Amino acid sequence: MEAMSTVNTERVAGVVNDALAALHEVLERHRVTEAEWHAVLAFLTSVGRADEFILLSDVTRTSVLIDTMEHGGDNSGATASDVEGPLYVDDPPWREKPVRVYEDYRGMGDDADVLVVRGSVTATDGKPLPDAVIDIWQTGPNGGYDIWDERQPEFNFRGRWRVEDEGGAYEFQTMLPQPYTVPVDGPVGRYLEAVGQHPWRPAHIHFKVTAPGHHPLVTQVFFPGDPYLENDTIGAVKPALVLPVQPEGDHLLCPFDIVLRPAA
Ligand code: BEZ
Ligand code: FE
């Protein structure tokens, strides 16, 4: 009840009443049986036990709907937000400059591309934000997150650092991620199969960017030509977040300027 204690109970009552009315209407329209309803309850119980409610919210595109309602009307010029997903790990390592967000990747293969992401962190009025902290997480070039890929050390392709540049400039070295499937070994995987929804996400890098006096930004960036840009299973691709990638010497370069909105 800790989380609920901050919620206005009148609003909860209003939303819950409408949600129940909508649910009852669907159950009646489809003449859902007792056995089917019990299966739904067992499914939701297993989602909770497996700690997959965020994942369920994501694959049903509910997270994207909430993100759009919360941030979609922002015309301040700030970088577009996007959903966080369930794969952020608290307390990622602070990376030293020059920032490289991976330590090791065994079995990387010769065709894995080193990627440099470079840009600036500024406010919507153009003021550089040297105090900003950038925190990123992504899969390796085989589409695996460190938390499920035994070949990677803990916190590989994760890390945060302070910008510390007077002009707000930042840069980090990573590897070009690849498309991957959301976790399918639990109840949400069975749900995806049952509704005939594929589990793939386009390659992306997640960002959390914070700076004193500014609204925090949670977003993701994507890359052109990805086969899942048009049909991300969580529906999170925004055109403004599909960034160009170009060759630069022996690696690829992705320019990404990050703009934060001042807090009121
Ligand atoms: C992710 O991109 O990390 C992610 C987002 C939603 C569901 C599963 C994974
Ligand atoms: Fe991801």
Side-chain angles (χ1 to χ4, degrees):
M1 292 309 285
E2 180 68 18
M4 294 292 280
S5 64
T6 57
V7 174
N8 174 330
T9 51
E10 260 178 55
R11 180 151 166 79
V12 171
V15 173
V16 167
N17 284 342
D18 277 0
L20 287 176
L23 174 64
H24 290 183
E25 191 278 320
V26 169
L27 295 177
E28 271 187 68
R29 181 150 43 90
H30 290 273
R31 293 269 151 222
V32 168
T33 66
E34 199 166 53
E36 286 169 339
W37 183 241
H38 287 167
V40 170
L41 298 181
F43 166 71
L44 291 174
T45 303
S46 65
V47 169
R49 288 209 175 108
D51 195 11
E52 285 195 344
F53 265 112
I54 295 176
L55 184 58
L56 184 63
S57 164
D58 292 339
V59 300
T60 54
R61 303 191 171 188
T62 312
S63 302
V64 162
L65 172 69
I66 298 285
D67 172 64
T68 303
M69 289 191 297
E70 186 80 20
H71 304 286
D74 179 4
N75 53 11
S76 67
T79 300
S81 70
D82 210 332
V83 300
E84 177 168 332
L87 301 174
Y88 181 74
V89 175
D90 284 336
D91 291 326
W94 289 94
R95 301 288 186 187
E96 301 287 332
K97 304 269 181 60
V99 175
R100 196 178 98 153
V101 293
Y102 61 98
E103 279 138 39
D104 191 12
Y105 183 77
R106 288 180 291 282
M108 193 147 46
D110 293 337
D111 52 354
D113 290 307
V114 171
L115 176 70
V116 170
V117 181
R118 183 186 298 149
S120 60
V121 185
T122 60
T124 47
D125 64 1
K127 194 169 69 98
L129 298 174
D131 287 337
V133 172
I134 301 176
D135 186 347
I136 75 100
W137 68 106
Q138 63 167 90
T139 65
N142 69 340
Y145 272 101
D146 59 333
I147 50 177
W148 67 59
D149 181 2
E150 284 165 5
R151 290 169 298 179
Q152 297 187 54
E154 198 183 13
F155 291 114
N156 218 31
F157 296 105
R158 298 176 185 272
R160 58 183 157 163
W161 66 96
R162 203 171 295 282
V163 167
E164 282 172 346
D165 175 84
E166 284 312 303
Y170 79 91
E171 172 173 320
F172 66 97
Q173 180 184 326
T174 184
M175 302 195 87
L176 190 66
Q178 294 297 321
Y180 66 86
T181 71
V182 299
V184 290
D185 53 350
V188 169
R190 296 202 302 278
Y191 160 85
L192 289 172
E193 237 178 79
V195 299
Q197 182 178 336
H198 75 72
W200 286 89
R201 296 218 59 213
H204 57 273
I205 303 176
H206 298 266
F207 284 74
K208 280 191 195 198
V209 186
T210 54
H214 292 76
H215 288 281
L217 171 72
V218 177
T219 195
Q220 307 179 29
V221 301
F222 305 89
F223 309 102
D226 191 293
Y228 295 102
L229 282 181
E230 301 297 327
N231 58 358
D232 178 4
T233 196
I234 71 164
V237 178
K238 299 180 179 183
L241 296 173
V242 181
L243 302 181
V245 172
Q246 65 222 37
E248 184 189 64
D250 60 356
H251 57 259
L252 299 174
L253 171 70
C254 173
F256 179 38
D257 289 334
I258 299 167
V259 182
L260 300 188
R261 188 162 59 94

Short mmCIF file of all heavy atoms in Angstrom, two decimals, residues 69-116:
data_model
loop_
_atom_site.label_atom_id
_atom_site.label_comp_id
_atom_site.label_asym_id
_atom_site.label_seq_id
_atom_site.Cartn_x
_atom_site.Cartn_y
_atom_site.Cartn_z
N MET A 69 0.69 10.05 -23.29
CA MET A 69 -0.21 10.98 -22.60
C MET A 69 0.58 11.92 -21.69
O MET A 69 0.26 13.08 -21.55
CB MET A 69 -1.25 10.21 -21.79
CG MET A 69 -2.27 9.52 -22.66
SD MET A 69 -3.65 8.89 -21.70
CE MET A 69 -2.87 7.70 -20.65
N GLU A 70 1.64 11.38 -21.07
CA GLU A 70 2.41 12.17 -20.10
C GLU A 70 3.30 13.21 -20.81
O GLU A 70 3.42 14.34 -20.36
CB GLU A 70 3.29 11.22 -19.28
CG GLU A 70 4.05 11.87 -18.15
CD GLU A 70 3.19 12.10 -16.90
OE1 GLU A 70 2.15 11.44 -16.76
OE2 GLU A 70 3.57 12.95 -16.08
N HIS A 71 3.91 12.79 -21.93
CA HIS A 71 4.94 13.65 -22.53
C HIS A 71 4.62 14.06 -23.98
O HIS A 71 5.35 14.88 -24.54
CB HIS A 71 6.29 12.91 -22.55
CG HIS A 71 6.74 12.45 -21.20
ND1 HIS A 71 7.22 13.30 -20.24
CD2 HIS A 71 6.77 11.21 -20.65
CE1 HIS A 71 7.54 12.61 -19.15
NE2 HIS A 71 7.27 11.34 -19.37
N GLY A 72 3.59 13.45 -24.59
CA GLY A 72 3.35 13.67 -26.02
C GLY A 72 3.06 15.11 -26.37
O GLY A 72 3.33 15.56 -27.48
N GLY A 73 2.50 15.89 -25.44
CA GLY A 73 2.13 17.28 -25.74
C GLY A 73 3.28 18.25 -25.53
O GLY A 73 3.11 19.46 -25.70
N ASP A 74 4.46 17.74 -25.18
CA ASP A 74 5.60 18.62 -24.90
C ASP A 74 6.14 19.21 -26.20
O ASP A 74 6.69 18.50 -27.03
CB ASP A 74 6.69 17.80 -24.18
CG ASP A 74 7.93 18.64 -23.88
OD1 ASP A 74 7.92 19.86 -24.15
OD2 ASP A 74 8.91 18.06 -23.37
N ASN A 75 5.94 20.52 -26.38
CA ASN A 75 6.50 21.14 -27.59
C ASN A 75 7.59 22.14 -27.21
O ASN A 75 7.79 23.14 -27.88
CB ASN A 75 5.39 21.81 -28.43
CG ASN A 75 4.58 22.77 -27.58
OD1 ASN A 75 4.98 23.08 -26.46
ND2 ASN A 75 3.46 23.23 -28.10
N SER A 76 8.30 21.84 -26.12
CA SER A 76 9.33 22.75 -25.61
C SER A 76 10.63 22.66 -26.41
O SER A 76 11.52 23.47 -26.22
CB SER A 76 9.63 22.39 -24.15
OG SER A 76 10.25 21.10 -24.09
N GLY A 77 10.74 21.63 -27.26
CA GLY A 77 12.00 21.41 -27.97
C GLY A 77 12.89 20.40 -27.25
O GLY A 77 14.00 20.11 -27.71
N ALA A 78 12.40 19.87 -26.12
CA ALA A 78 13.18 18.85 -25.41
C ALA A 78 13.19 17.56 -26.21
O ALA A 78 12.28 17.30 -27.02
CB ALA A 78 12.58 18.61 -24.02
N THR A 79 14.21 16.73 -25.97
CA THR A 79 14.29 15.42 -26.63
C THR A 79 13.08 14.58 -26.25
O THR A 79 12.65 14.57 -25.09
CB THR A 79 15.59 14.70 -26.19
OG1 THR A 79 16.69 15.53 -26.57
CG2 THR A 79 15.72 13.34 -26.84
N ALA A 80 12.53 13.85 -27.22
CA ALA A 80 11.35 13.03 -26.98
C ALA A 80 11.66 11.94 -25.96
O ALA A 80 12.74 11.34 -26.00
CB ALA A 80 10.87 12.41 -28.29
N SER A 81 10.71 11.67 -25.10
CA SER A 81 10.88 10.60 -24.11
C SER A 81 10.45 9.28 -24.71
O SER A 81 9.85 9.23 -25.79
CB SER A 81 10.04 10.90 -22.87
OG SER A 81 8.68 10.76 -23.19
N ASP A 82 10.76 8.21 -24.00
CA ASP A 82 10.28 6.88 -24.42
C ASP A 82 10.23 5.99 -23.18
O ASP A 82 10.76 6.36 -22.13
CB ASP A 82 11.20 6.29 -25.50
CG ASP A 82 10.43 5.38 -26.45
OD1 ASP A 82 9.42 4.79 -26.03
OD2 ASP A 82 10.85 5.24 -27.62
N VAL A 83 9.62 4.83 -23.32
CA VAL A 83 9.39 3.99 -22.13
C VAL A 83 10.72 3.41 -21.63
O VAL A 83 11.64 3.19 -22.40
CB VAL A 83 8.38 2.86 -22.41
CG1 VAL A 83 7.03 3.44 -22.81
CG2 VAL A 83 8.87 1.90 -23.45
N GLU A 84 10.75 3.14 -20.33
CA GLU A 84 11.98 2.63 -19.70
C GLU A 84 12.16 1.12 -19.91
O GLU A 84 13.28 0.64 -20.04
CB GLU A 84 11.95 2.96 -18.20
CG GLU A 84 13.14 2.41 -17.45
CD GLU A 84 13.26 2.97 -16.04
OE1 GLU A 84 12.81 4.11 -15.80
OE2 GLU A 84 13.81 2.26 -15.18
N GLY A 85 11.05 0.39 -19.93
CA GLY A 85 11.17 -1.07 -20.01
C GLY A 85 11.60 -1.66 -18.68
O GLY A 85 11.89 -0.92 -17.73
N PRO A 86 11.67 -2.99 -18.60
CA PRO A 86 11.95 -3.64 -17.31
C PRO A 86 13.41 -4.00 -17.09
O PRO A 86 13.73 -4.65 -16.10
CB PRO A 86 11.12 -4.93 -17.42
CG PRO A 86 11.12 -5.24 -18.88
CD PRO A 86 11.24 -3.94 -19.63
N LEU A 87 14.32 -3.58 -17.97
CA LEU A 87 15.67 -4.16 -17.92
C LEU A 87 16.75 -3.22 -17.40
O LEU A 87 17.94 -3.51 -17.49
CB LEU A 87 16.04 -4.71 -19.31
CG LEU A 87 15.06 -5.79 -19.79
CD1 LEU A 87 15.37 -6.21 -21.22
CD2 LEU A 87 15.09 -7.00 -18.87
N TYR A 88 16.31 -2.07 -16.83
CA TYR A 88 17.27 -1.20 -16.15
C TYR A 88 17.72 -1.89 -14.87
O TYR A 88 16.92 -2.52 -14.19
CB TYR A 88 16.62 0.15 -15.82
CG TYR A 88 17.57 1.11 -15.14
CD1 TYR A 88 18.57 1.74 -15.87
CD2 TYR A 88 17.48 1.37 -13.78
CE1 TYR A 88 19.46 2.61 -15.25
CE2 TYR A 88 18.36 2.24 -13.15
CZ TYR A 88 19.34 2.86 -13.90
OH TYR A 88 20.22 3.71 -13.28
N VAL A 89 19.00 -1.78 -14.56
CA VAL A 89 19.52 -2.33 -13.30
C VAL A 89 20.02 -1.16 -12.46
O VAL A 89 20.78 -0.32 -12.95
CB VAL A 89 20.66 -3.34 -13.56
CG1 VAL A 89 21.27 -3.81 -12.25
CG2 VAL A 89 20.13 -4.53 -14.36
N ASP A 90 19.57 -1.09 -11.20
CA ASP A 90 19.95 0.01 -10.31
C ASP A 90 21.46 0.04 -10.08
O ASP A 90 22.13 -0.98 -10.13
CB ASP A 90 19.26 -0.14 -8.95
CG ASP A 90 17.79 0.25 -9.03
OD1 ASP A 90 17.43 1.02 -9.94
OD2 ASP A 90 17.01 -0.24 -8.21
N ASP A 91 21.94 1.23 -9.77
CA ASP A 91 23.36 1.45 -9.42
C ASP A 91 24.34 0.90 -10.45
O ASP A 91 25.26 0.13 -10.12
CB ASP A 91 23.67 0.82 -8.05
CG ASP A 91 22.98 1.59 -6.94
OD1 ASP A 91 22.86 2.82 -7.08
OD2 ASP A 91 22.56 0.95 -5.96
N PRO A 92 24.19 1.32 -11.69
CA PRO A 92 25.18 0.90 -12.70
C PRO A 92 26.53 1.56 -12.40
O PRO A 92 26.59 2.56 -11.67
CB PRO A 92 24.60 1.44 -14.01
CG PRO A 92 23.75 2.59 -13.60
CD PRO A 92 23.21 2.26 -12.23
N PRO A 93 27.62 1.03 -12.93
CA PRO A 93 28.95 1.59 -12.62
C PRO A 93 29.12 3.00 -13.18
O PRO A 93 28.58 3.33 -14.24
CB PRO A 93 29.92 0.62 -13.31
CG PRO A 93 29.09 -0.15 -14.27
CD PRO A 93 27.68 -0.14 -13.80
N TRP A 94 29.90 3.81 -12.43
CA TRP A 94 30.32 5.11 -12.96
C TRP A 94 31.50 4.85 -13.89
O TRP A 94 32.49 4.24 -13.47
CB TRP A 94 30.74 6.05 -11.82
CG TRP A 94 29.57 6.51 -11.00
CD1 TRP A 94 29.11 5.94 -9.86
CD2 TRP A 94 28.72 7.62 -11.27
NE1 TRP A 94 28.01 6.64 -9.40
CE2 TRP A 94 27.75 7.67 -10.24
CE3 TRP A 94 28.66 8.60 -12.27
CZ2 TRP A 94 26.75 8.64 -10.18
CZ3 TRP A 94 27.66 9.57 -12.22
CH2 TRP A 94 26.73 9.58 -11.19
N ARG A 95 31.41 5.29 -15.12
CA ARG A 95 32.47 5.03 -16.11
C ARG A 95 33.44 6.22 -16.15
O ARG A 95 33.03 7.38 -16.12
CB ARG A 95 31.87 4.82 -17.50
CG ARG A 95 30.88 3.65 -17.59
CD ARG A 95 31.58 2.33 -17.52
NE ARG A 95 30.65 1.21 -17.75
CZ ARG A 95 30.98 -0.05 -17.61
NH1 ARG A 95 32.21 -0.39 -17.26
NH2 ARG A 95 30.10 -1.01 -17.83
N GLU A 96 34.72 5.87 -16.27
CA GLU A 96 35.77 6.90 -16.39
C GLU A 96 35.79 7.44 -17.82
O GLU A 96 35.44 6.74 -18.76
CB GLU A 96 37.14 6.29 -16.10
CG GLU A 96 37.30 5.66 -14.73
CD GLU A 96 37.39 6.70 -13.63
OE1 GLU A 96 37.86 7.81 -13.93
OE2 GLU A 96 36.98 6.39 -12.49
N LYS A 97 36.30 8.67 -17.96
CA LYS A 97 36.50 9.24 -19.29
C LYS A 97 37.83 8.70 -19.87
O LYS A 97 38.78 8.57 -19.09
CB LYS A 97 36.59 10.77 -19.24
CG LYS A 97 35.40 11.43 -18.60
CD LYS A 97 34.35 11.76 -19.64
CE LYS A 97 33.15 12.46 -19.04
NZ LYS A 97 33.39 13.71 -18.39
N PRO A 98 38.01 8.44 -21.13
CA PRO A 98 36.96 8.41 -22.13
C PRO A 98 36.03 7.22 -21.89
O PRO A 98 36.51 6.11 -21.61
CB PRO A 98 37.73 8.27 -23.46
CG PRO A 98 39.02 7.63 -23.08
CD PRO A 98 39.33 8.06 -21.67
N VAL A 99 34.73 7.48 -22.00
CA VAL A 99 33.74 6.49 -21.57
C VAL A 99 33.63 5.35 -22.59
O VAL A 99 33.41 5.58 -23.78
CB VAL A 99 32.36 7.15 -21.38
CG1 VAL A 99 31.31 6.09 -21.05
CG2 VAL A 99 32.42 8.20 -20.28
N ARG A 100 33.77 4.14 -22.06
CA ARG A 100 33.50 2.93 -22.84
C ARG A 100 32.57 2.10 -21.96
O ARG A 100 32.91 1.83 -20.81
CB ARG A 100 34.80 2.18 -23.12
CG ARG A 100 34.67 1.16 -24.20
CD ARG A 100 36.00 0.48 -24.46
NE ARG A 100 36.03 -0.79 -23.74
CZ ARG A 100 36.75 -1.84 -24.11
NH1 ARG A 100 37.56 -1.75 -25.16
NH2 ARG A 100 36.71 -2.96 -23.44
N VAL A 101 31.40 1.73 -22.47
CA VAL A 101 30.38 1.15 -21.59
C VAL A 101 30.44 -0.38 -21.53
O VAL A 101 29.59 -0.98 -20.89
CB VAL A 101 28.95 1.60 -21.99
CG1 VAL A 101 28.76 3.09 -21.76
CG2 VAL A 101 28.63 1.19 -23.41
N TYR A 102 31.41 -0.97 -22.19
CA TYR A 102 31.55 -2.42 -22.07
C TYR A 102 32.98 -2.76 -21.67
O TYR A 102 33.91 -2.04 -22.01
CB TYR A 102 31.16 -3.14 -23.36
CG TYR A 102 32.01 -2.76 -24.57
CD1 TYR A 102 33.07 -3.56 -24.98
CD2 TYR A 102 31.73 -1.61 -25.29
CE1 TYR A 102 33.83 -3.22 -26.09
CE2 TYR A 102 32.49 -1.25 -26.38
CZ TYR A 102 33.53 -2.06 -26.78
OH TYR A 102 34.29 -1.71 -27.86
N GLU A 103 33.10 -3.83 -20.90
CA GLU A 103 34.43 -4.26 -20.48
C GLU A 103 34.93 -5.37 -21.38
O GLU A 103 36.07 -5.48 -21.69
CB GLU A 103 34.39 -4.77 -19.04
CG GLU A 103 34.41 -3.63 -18.04
CD GLU A 103 33.45 -3.85 -16.91
OE1 GLU A 103 33.34 -4.99 -16.45
OE2 GLU A 103 32.81 -2.87 -16.51
N ASP A 104 33.99 -6.23 -21.73
CA ASP A 104 34.41 -7.43 -22.41
C ASP A 104 33.20 -7.98 -23.15
O ASP A 104 32.07 -7.76 -22.76
CB ASP A 104 34.88 -8.45 -21.36
CG ASP A 104 35.57 -9.62 -22.00
OD1 ASP A 104 35.90 -9.54 -23.20
OD2 ASP A 104 35.79 -10.62 -21.29
N TYR A 105 33.46 -8.67 -24.20
CA TYR A 105 32.39 -9.40 -24.83
C TYR A 105 32.98 -10.60 -25.55
O TYR A 105 33.47 -10.50 -26.66
CB TYR A 105 31.59 -8.52 -25.80
CG TYR A 105 30.44 -9.31 -26.36
CD1 TYR A 105 29.32 -9.52 -25.57
CD2 TYR A 105 30.52 -9.91 -27.60
CE1 TYR A 105 28.29 -10.31 -26.02
CE2 TYR A 105 29.50 -10.69 -28.06
CZ TYR A 105 28.39 -10.89 -27.28
OH TYR A 105 27.37 -11.68 -27.71
N ARG A 106 32.92 -11.73 -24.88
CA ARG A 106 33.51 -12.93 -25.49
C ARG A 106 32.54 -13.47 -26.55
O ARG A 106 31.33 -13.44 -26.36
CB ARG A 106 33.77 -13.99 -24.43
CG ARG A 106 34.93 -13.62 -23.54
CD ARG A 106 35.21 -14.66 -22.49
NE ARG A 106 34.16 -14.72 -21.50
CZ ARG A 106 34.01 -13.85 -20.51
NH1 ARG A 106 34.85 -12.84 -20.39
NH2 ARG A 106 33.02 -13.97 -19.65
N GLY A 107 33.10 -13.89 -27.66
CA GLY A 107 32.26 -14.42 -28.73
C GLY A 107 31.60 -13.31 -29.51
O GLY A 107 30.52 -13.45 -30.05
N MET A 108 32.26 -12.12 -29.54
CA MET A 108 31.70 -10.95 -30.20
C MET A 108 31.60 -11.14 -31.71
O MET A 108 30.70 -10.61 -32.33
CB MET A 108 32.61 -9.77 -29.88
CG MET A 108 32.08 -8.45 -30.19
SD MET A 108 32.68 -7.23 -29.02
CE MET A 108 34.42 -7.56 -28.89
N GLY A 109 32.56 -11.86 -32.27
CA GLY A 109 32.53 -12.06 -33.72
C GLY A 109 33.17 -10.88 -34.42
O GLY A 109 33.20 -9.77 -33.89
N ASP A 110 33.67 -11.14 -35.63
CA ASP A 110 34.40 -10.09 -36.34
C ASP A 110 33.49 -9.03 -36.93
O ASP A 110 33.93 -7.96 -37.32
CB ASP A 110 35.21 -10.72 -37.48
CG ASP A 110 36.32 -11.61 -36.92
OD1 ASP A 110 36.70 -11.37 -35.75
OD2 ASP A 110 36.76 -12.53 -37.63
N ASP A 111 32.18 -9.35 -37.04
CA ASP A 111 31.31 -8.40 -37.73
C ASP A 111 30.63 -7.43 -36.76
O ASP A 111 29.75 -6.67 -37.14
CB ASP A 111 30.24 -9.15 -38.54
CG ASP A 111 29.50 -10.16 -37.69
OD1 ASP A 111 29.90 -10.36 -36.53
OD2 ASP A 111 28.52 -10.73 -38.21
N ALA A 112 31.02 -7.45 -35.47
CA ALA A 112 30.42 -6.52 -34.52
C ALA A 112 31.02 -5.12 -34.74
O ALA A 112 32.23 -4.97 -34.87
CB ALA A 112 30.68 -6.98 -33.10
N ASP A 113 30.16 -4.11 -34.78
CA ASP A 113 30.62 -2.75 -35.08
C ASP A 113 30.79 -1.93 -33.81
O ASP A 113 29.86 -1.83 -33.01
CB ASP A 113 29.59 -2.04 -35.97
CG ASP A 113 29.56 -2.62 -37.36
OD1 ASP A 113 30.63 -2.70 -37.98
OD2 ASP A 113 28.46 -3.00 -37.81
N VAL A 114 31.98 -1.34 -33.67
CA VAL A 114 32.17 -0.37 -32.59
C VAL A 114 31.39 0.89 -32.96
O VAL A 114 31.41 1.34 -34.11
CB VAL A 114 33.67 -0.04 -32.40
CG1 VAL A 114 33.86 1.11 -31.43
CG2 VAL A 114 34.41 -1.29 -31.90
N LEU A 115 30.67 1.43 -31.99
CA LEU A 115 29.83 2.61 -32.22
C LEU A 115 30.22 3.69 -31.23
O LEU A 115 30.33 3.42 -30.03
CB LEU A 115 28.35 2.24 -32.02
CG LEU A 115 27.35 3.39 -32.13
CD1 LEU A 115 27.24 3.89 -33.58
CD2 LEU A 115 25.97 2.95 -31.62
N VAL A 116 30.44 4.89 -31.75
CA VAL A 116 30.66 6.05 -30.88
C VAL A 116 29.40 6.91 -30.94
O VAL A 116 28.92 7.23 -32.04
CB VAL A 116 31.90 6.85 -31.33
CG1 VAL A 116 32.00 8.18 -30.58
CG2 VAL A 116 33.17 6.02 -31.10
#
